[in-house]
Amino acid sequence: MAGASTPAIRTLTEAGVAHRVHAYTHDPRSDSYGTEAVDALGAELGVRPEQIFKTLVIELSTGTLAVAVLPVPDTLSLKAAAAALGAPKATMADKTKAEKTTGYVLGGISPLGQRKRLPTVLDESALRWDRMLCSAGRRGLEIDLAPADLVRLAAAVTAPITA
């Protein structure tokens, strides 16, 4: 998409990673950002809901913030995400803390280009797709890329993290 630039998009461009950016009109009344992306882009792009991923910021019991990236239709297992990142437990991070640390607003948090790169776990289901979508760093903007590229650029571990 011409003119759209976020830290996530710049990260991909600077790394020379093949990607596409897809925009849709974000409804400010929506509080289910992932479902909104699925509804707006799934059929149009010919991707299944399981190929569109949400980015959740969690706080590990060690006090560190981390990122869990999982398919929109699925529910995060905090225990599995914590274990994958080497912590005994995790909770959902405070919204303000998540936004301040990543530099993105809730509903537009990308696993790439964060103000402070956080430990990241990607649900292993992503690896069965040749392409996946995740937030481009703004509500209404998604990046379409190969899961292996996300793993590499986010220094992510992969694990089963859904409940």
Side-chain angles (χ1 to χ4, degrees), residues 87-157:
K89 294 193 312 193
T91 57
M92 292 305 298
D94 171 73
K95 172 187 183 241
T96 304
K97 201 172 184 181
E99 290 180 341
K100 184 177 180 189
T101 304
T102 64
Y104 294 119
V105 297
L106 208 65
I109 295 176
S110 177
L112 298 171
Q114 298 163 1
R115 183 175 289 146
K116 178 182 183 216
R117 186 155 89 173
L118 300 175
T120 301
V121 59
L122 173 64
D123 186 69
E124 68 181 9
S125 69
L127 301 178
R128 74 173 183 241
W129 305 108
D130 61 344
R131 64 193 267 227
M132 63 177 285
L133 279 80
C134 65
S135 177
R138 188 181 309 151
R139 294 174 187 158
L141 211 55
E142 295 282 310
I143 302 168
D144 184 329
L145 75 165
D149 288 328
L150 177 62
V151 169
R152 182 172 53 84
L153 291 176
V157 298

Side-chain angles (χ1 to χ4, degrees), residues 41-48 51 131:
L41 297 175
E44 176 187 329
L45 300 177
V47 296
R48 299 178 47 84
Q51 282 178 271
R131 64 193 267 227

Side-chain angles (χ1 to χ4, degrees), residues 17-132:
V17 169
H19 66 282
R20 285 179 288 176
V21 179
H22 304 285
Y24 61 91
T25 303
H26 165 63
D27 180 349
R29 297 169 298 188
S30 176
D31 60 355
S32 180
Y33 306 110
T35 302
E36 183 181 49
V38 167
D39 292 345
L41 297 175
E44 176 187 329
L45 300 177
V47 296
R48 299 178 47 84
E50 297 83 18
Q51 282 178 271
I52 302 177
F53 284 66
K54 57 189 170 187
T55 305
L56 303 176
V57 180
I58 59 176
E59 186 163 357
L60 303 175
S61 52
T62 58
T64 303
L65 290 187
V67 173
V69 185
L70 64 152
V72 167
D74 294 340
T75 302
L76 176 64
S77 165
L78 286 164
K79 184 176 180 178
L85 294 168
K89 294 193 312 193
T91 57
M92 292 305 298
D94 171 73
K95 172 187 183 241
T96 304
K97 201 172 184 181
E99 290 180 341
K100 184 177 180 189
T101 304
T102 64
Y104 294 119
V105 297
L106 208 65
I109 295 176
S110 177
L112 298 171
Q114 298 163 1
R115 183 175 289 146
K116 178 182 183 216
R117 186 155 89 173
L118 300 175
T120 301
V121 59
L122 173 64
D123 186 69
E124 68 181 9
S125 69
L127 301 178
R128 74 173 183 241
W129 305 108
D130 61 344
R131 64 193 267 227
M132 63 177 285

